[in-house]
Amino acid sequence: MPNSIEFQKSITKELEVVKDRVRDLIGSRHWPEEGRYKEAILSKAIENQLPRHISVGTGFIIKKTENGGHIYSKQIDILLYDNRFPLIMNYGNFIVTTPKHTVGVIEVKSNITPTKFRDTFNKLETSLEHIFEDYHQKFIGIFSFNFKKSSRENYSVNHEHIITETLSQGKGIVNHISLNENEFIRFWEREQGLQMREPIIKENDFYNAYFLRDLSFSYFISNIIHRVCDD
């Protein structure tokens, strides 16, 4: 019989193997480019699972305002967009598109600490807050290959508290987070939570954290597919 858990774990292993293969090949010669090749690795893994009408790029989202002006997002590491509609700009995989045709936004980190997570989370929410009116219908994620719970800068900081406080103060714009291969966080709207097998019932929308050994990367990608597919 098919072993779905091992299949899911193999996706995480595949990402790790490719990451280590590049590291072994180039050593420490081009570490300023480390983030870019990890973005490329994740982009390819996502692209392999997407339906044909969804493409992967990097770039900006532009929204036209009612008074004829424009609002620009920060530069997005990975943009998922509906390719059935024309782009504003397209050079290779660098694109400029609209909020309407954007289906997913992903910020990619090689390594993240709780303080860096707070900064990344807040910057992404601030950048997208006025771009999307329907951000709950978009996949908006943070993906980190590694998560360091302690920082050389300050060992006395309560790092778990930093993450909890960051999420509690968020607006729910960022809805999927993979901290490493084991730790996954998802934002649930209350209606979605009530559909869970063992829901955490709360009056408001909420974030829930999961420890999924060797499955976080796979769950992140699976949730992309679930969110961007019409069916």
Side-chain angles (χ1 to χ4, degrees):
M1 294 180 62
N3 191 328
S4 60
I5 295 297
E6 289 304 316
F7 171 77
Q8 295 284 343
K9 287 182 178 181
S10 71
I11 296 175
T12 295
K13 292 175 183 176
E14 182 179 355
L15 281 168
E16 292 286 353
V17 166
V18 176
K19 172 177 67 77
D20 292 340
R21 185 180 300 155
V22 176
R23 176 185 286 266
D24 292 340
L25 184 62
I26 68 175
S28 60
R29 293 176 180 83
H30 301 286
W31 282 139
E33 302 299 316
E34 181 181 12
R36 292 186 183 180
Y37 86 71
K38 287 186 176 177
E39 289 172 20
I41 291 169
L42 180 60
S43 293
K44 187 62 178 177
I46 294 170
E47 187 176 28
N48 289 340
Q49 306 292 329
L50 291 174
R52 291 184 179 180
H53 71 282
I54 304 296
S55 293
V56 179
T58 182
F60 296 88
I61 307 168
I62 297 180
K63 178 182 179 181
K64 188 174 182 179
T65 61
E66 293 181 356
N67 61 6
H70 294 86
I71 302 173
Y72 302 85
S73 73
K74 67 183 288 294
Q75 182 168 355
I76 306 300
D77 294 333
I78 297 178
L79 269 173
L80 308 179
Y81 62 95
D82 192 329
N83 58 39
R84 293 174 295 185
F85 303 93
L87 294 166
I88 297 173
M89 181 182 291
N90 182 12
Y91 287 98
N93 73 330
F94 180 84
I95 69 165
V96 178
T97 188
T98 64
K100 181 179 180 180
H101 301 142
T102 302
V103 297
V105 170
I106 303 169
E107 189 77 6
V108 184
K109 297 296 179 184
S110 297
N111 298 284
I112 202 167
T113 63
T115 52
K116 287 183 179 179
F117 170 78
R118 178 182 58 200
D119 294 341
T120 300
F121 182 95
N122 290 337
K123 287 179 181 177
L124 189 56
E125 286 220 329
T126 300
S127 175
L128 300 178
E129 181 178 4
H130 300 294
I131 293 290
F132 295 125
E133 297 178 1
D134 57 344
Y135 53 79
H136 287 307
Q137 298 177 20
K138 312 290 185 179
F139 183 95
I140 302 176
I142 297 173
F143 184 100
S144 177
F145 282 88
N146 296 292
F147 176 56
K148 297 180 180 179
K149 294 185 179 181
S150 62
S151 171
R152 294 180 181 178
E153 299 173 0
N154 191 346
Y155 283 102
S156 64
V157 173
N158 185 329
H159 300 293
E160 185 174 324
H161 174 72
I162 291 175
I163 292 180
T164 302
E165 184 179 49
T166 300
L167 295 174
S168 66
Q169 293 177 355
K171 300 178 175 64
I173 297 173
V174 177
N175 45 43
H176 294 82
I177 301 159
S178 180
L179 293 175
N180 56 21
E181 69 273 17
N182 300 318
E183 297 176 81
F184 180 77
I185 301 169
R186 176 170 172 171
F187 180 80
W188 291 95
E189 296 177 62
R190 188 167 187 269
E191 291 76 9
Q192 294 174 317
L194 291 173
Q195 295 171 9
M196 296 171 64
R197 183 173 297 177
E198 296 180 1
I200 299 176
I201 306 296
K202 293 190 177 183
E203 294 181 359
N204 301 312
D205 303 338
F206 62 97
Y207 283 97
N208 209 21
Y210 306 86
F211 183 85
L212 307 168
R213 189 177 299 279
D214 297 327
L215 287 170
S216 178
F217 293 172
S218 175
Y219 269 50
F220 188 88
I221 295 174
S222 296
N223 275 272
I224 293 174
I225 308 307
H226 177 72
R227 182 62 64 98
V228 306
C229 289
D230 295 332
D231 246 341

